[in-house]
């Protein structure tokens, strides 16, 4: 079979002679002019064509169908490469489909946790062949965290496609201080520039890029003000008209629309009729954040930042605020977020490990659930990581898929929803403040940095208390529901057994949630540059939760556990009969040992301190001694 490759943009007319000319030219450039006549005489079954960027073809309707019909007659097999299946209904109309004897649609799926790790691992093993395996693995783990943050930290606004992941890896070493925004801001900027570079000759004139970015940013801000994620051609035209008036330019809205669609910045949303949307959520966040960051002195921008900062329970608002911070390290923005953080869940006290709570009535079961059942050797670390990633993929957590945002940004909440909204806002506030701290450790004043870290910790603990009390309100309703359901299903369960089982379940659920919050706060401070300020803020606080956050930060975030500090904290908790807090410390250390290689002596000491099984550790030691010839 003879295969040729053609870009969809090459088809500029539906006339059969013009189509044949495109095919001939493609063959001559990819093979040779002398073989052209031989190619023409082949049976259609021997000819194959790949049409790239088919959705970018300038032809539409019947004219596009004419091209498909011609190709279907001339080639035995055709491969159309599209940027998304969104355009499929428009591209393959009923007329065109009738020409094809068979049609198959394939998607390039986003990479889940395991696939991302596999790709990143191969990247660094090829790039850094002369390094030790542990060094490469450390670099892989660091890059996985970086890629996950870039993709949206669990709430993905960029699909985990290979092209995006490789883009982060390629540009990772190029992130320098010469860019006046954050490192992630640099990566998003690079992705936008890469998309716009496909426009080609339209950007040959100096200033075209600046004009288009400014117009699209203004459009995104307009959409944000009107709480929606779509726009019409008329709204774009009005934006361009206003922009031209202020900047004294003559930009064309139709040119902007065409260029942005070609660059895959915009796409026409067929579900909304003639409206348009940004291709991916991150592009909307990028341009809205870009506008706000470059108009911080404007009252409209200031009001919007204040408005969003008080409603971080809305995913769009939280992500846009993060993008504002990627572009500009501004004290006013930080203070706006901090002030709202102080007010978030302010009527809840911080969770106190030293005070008993009826929700933790079955504390021993909760402790047993937190402490790892077995600790593996260094050789088990890789297997443990793989299993963990597979479990995340199976549960659909961080699996790389992106859900298109709703057309309307609904930020109204009822009185009943206020506390849940506030808890959601607290999680996003932790993420936003953490991003600011990690991006600008050298620019934020030390005292402000300590205040931010202190509020991060307290907000996390207020969130824990809010969740405990919220679940406490529905505990009795849950018990009654289970009793009624058991009766309806003819199950002969005693009420006291249901009460006991429910309380046990809630204790385990809440204990896992407390452990997760300790990790979430620590992850917000995950930078060696923040360790000094974090120690000052958390040690000044002096609560059990602050000690556990610091232990988690050093042990599982920075991967630099201090045995003496861990031993001292364990001794303090044990002497104070703080069994729950001690179990969380055991969980922290157990997680580190299961997912990190370390010196076998250090591993043995930690296993001994916490009473973990040393069987695997002893096997590791035996192997080492045998290897040394003893």
């Amino acid at each position: 079979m003879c295969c040729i490759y053609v870009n969809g943009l090459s088809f500029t007319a539906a006339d059969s002679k013009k189509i044949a000319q495109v095919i001939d030219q493609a063959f001559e450039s990819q093979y040779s002019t002398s073989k052209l006549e031989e190619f023409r005489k082949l049976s259609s079954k021997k000819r194959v064509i790949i049409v790239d960027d088919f959705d970018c073809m300038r032809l539409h309707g019947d004219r596009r169908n004419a091209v498909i019909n011609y190709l279907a007659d001339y080639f035995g097999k055709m491969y159309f490469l599209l940027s998304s299946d969104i355009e499929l209904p428009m591209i393959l109309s009923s007329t065109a489909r009738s020409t094809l004897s068979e049609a198959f649609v394939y998607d390039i799926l986003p990479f889940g946790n395991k696939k991302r790790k596999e790709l990143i691992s191969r990247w660094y093993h090829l790039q850094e062949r002369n390094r030790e395996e542990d060094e490469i693995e450390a670099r892989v783990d660091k890059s996985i965290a970086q890629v996950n943050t870039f993709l949206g930290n669990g709430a993905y606004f960029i699909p985990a496609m290979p092209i995006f992941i490789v883009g982060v890896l390629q540009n990772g070493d190029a992130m320098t201080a010469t860019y006046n925004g954050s490192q992630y801001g640099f990566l998003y900027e690079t992705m936008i520039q890469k998309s716009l570079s496909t426009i080609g000759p339209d950007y040959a004139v100096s200033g075209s890029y600046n004009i288009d970015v400014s117009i699209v940013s203004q459009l995104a801000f307009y959409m944000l003000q009107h709480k929606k994620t779509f726009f019409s051609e008329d709204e774009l035209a009005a934006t361009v008209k206003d922009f031209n008036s202020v900047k004294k330019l003559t930009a064309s809205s139709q040119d902007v629309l065409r260029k942005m669609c070609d660059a895959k910045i915009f796409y026409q949303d067929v579900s909304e009729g003639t409206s348009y949307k940004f291709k991916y959520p991150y592009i909307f966040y990028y341009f809205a954040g870009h506008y706000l960051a470059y108009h911080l002195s404007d009252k409209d921008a200031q009001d919007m930042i204040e408005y969003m900062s008080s409603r971080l329970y809305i995913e769009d608002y939280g992500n846009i605020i993060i993008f504002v911070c990627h572009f500009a390290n501004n004290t006013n923005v930080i203070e706006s977020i901090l002030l709202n953080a102080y007010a978030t869940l302010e009527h809840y006290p911080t969770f106190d490990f030293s005070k008993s709570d009826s929700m933790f009535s079955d504390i021993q079961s909760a402790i047993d659930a937190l402490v790892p059942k077995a600790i593996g050797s260094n050789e088990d670390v890789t297997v443990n990581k793989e299993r963990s990633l597979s479990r995340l993929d199976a549960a659909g957590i961080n699996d790389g898929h992106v859900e298109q945002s709703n057309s309307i940004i609904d930020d109204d909440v009822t009185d009943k929803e206020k506390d849940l909204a506030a808890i959601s806002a607290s999680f996003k506030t932790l993420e936003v403040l953490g991003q600011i701290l990690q991006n600008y450790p050298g620019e934020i004043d030390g005292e402000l940095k300590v205040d931010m870290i202190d509020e991060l910790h307290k907000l996390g603990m207020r969130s824990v208390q809010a969740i405990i009390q919220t679940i406490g309100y529905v505990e009795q309703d849950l018990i009654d529901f289970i009793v009624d359901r058991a009766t309806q299903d003819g199950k002969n369960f005693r009420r006291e057994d249901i009460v006991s089982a429910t309380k046990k379940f809630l204790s385990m659920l809440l204990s896992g949630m407390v452990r997760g919050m300790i990790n979430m706060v620590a992850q917000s401070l995950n930078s060696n540059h923040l360790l000094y300020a974090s120690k000052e803020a958390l040690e000044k606080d002096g609560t059990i939760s602050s000690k556990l956050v610091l232990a988690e930060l050093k042990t599982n975030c920075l991967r630099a556990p201090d045995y003496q500090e861990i031993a001292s904290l364990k001794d303090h908790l044990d002497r104070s009969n703080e069994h729950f807090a001690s179990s969380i410390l055991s969980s922290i250390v157990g997680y580190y040992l299961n997912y990190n290689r370390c010196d076998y002596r250090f591993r043995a000491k930690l296993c001994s301190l916490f009473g973990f099984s040393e069987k695997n550790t002893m096997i590791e030691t035996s192997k080492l001694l045998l290897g040394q010839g003893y």
Side-chain angles (χ1 to χ4, degrees), residues 526-543:
N526 188 8
S527 168
N528 279 305
H529 301 304
L530 298 175
L531 182 57
Y532 184 90
S534 296
K535 287 180 64 176
E536 180 177 330
L538 295 171
E539 289 175 355
K540 185 192 299 183
D541 181 83
T543 59

Side-chain angles (χ1 to χ4, degrees), residues 301-321:
Q302 293 171 2
D303 290 345
M304 181 54 68
I305 289 173
E306 171 62 28
Y307 184 84
M308 291 192 296
S309 296
S310 64
R311 294 166 175 80
L312 291 181
Y313 51 85
I314 300 298
E315 191 70 29
D316 292 318
Y317 291 164
N319 290 332
I320 289 170
I321 286 289

Side-chain angles (χ1 to χ4, degrees), residues 62-113:
D62 291 339
R63 299 177 73 199
R64 180 172 291 198
N65 287 339
V67 174
I68 297 176
N69 292 339
Y70 185 95
L71 298 180
D73 287 338
Y74 198 73
F75 292 94
K77 289 189 177 181
M78 302 181 293
Y79 295 89
F80 298 143
L81 306 184
L82 319 174
S83 64
S84 165
D85 60 5
I86 293 172
E87 297 91 345
L88 272 175
M90 293 184 292
I91 292 171
L92 296 178
S93 65
S94 57
T95 305
R97 267 201 301 269
S98 65
T99 306
L100 309 176
S101 57
E102 288 184 312
F104 300 94
V105 178
Y106 296 89
D107 282 333
I108 297 177
L109 298 176
F111 277 21
N113 296 276

Side-chain angles (χ1 to χ4, degrees), residues 39 133 160 194 240 281 284 331 360 365 451 468 476 487 524 576 594 600-601 624:
F39 171 72
E133 181 64 26
K194 188 173 183 180
V240 173
F284 173 48
T331 304
F360 293 92
S365 295
D451 287 344
I468 290 173
Q476 191 57 50
T487 302
S524 298
S576 305
N594 271 328
Y600 77 94
R601 297 181 186 86
L624 181 67

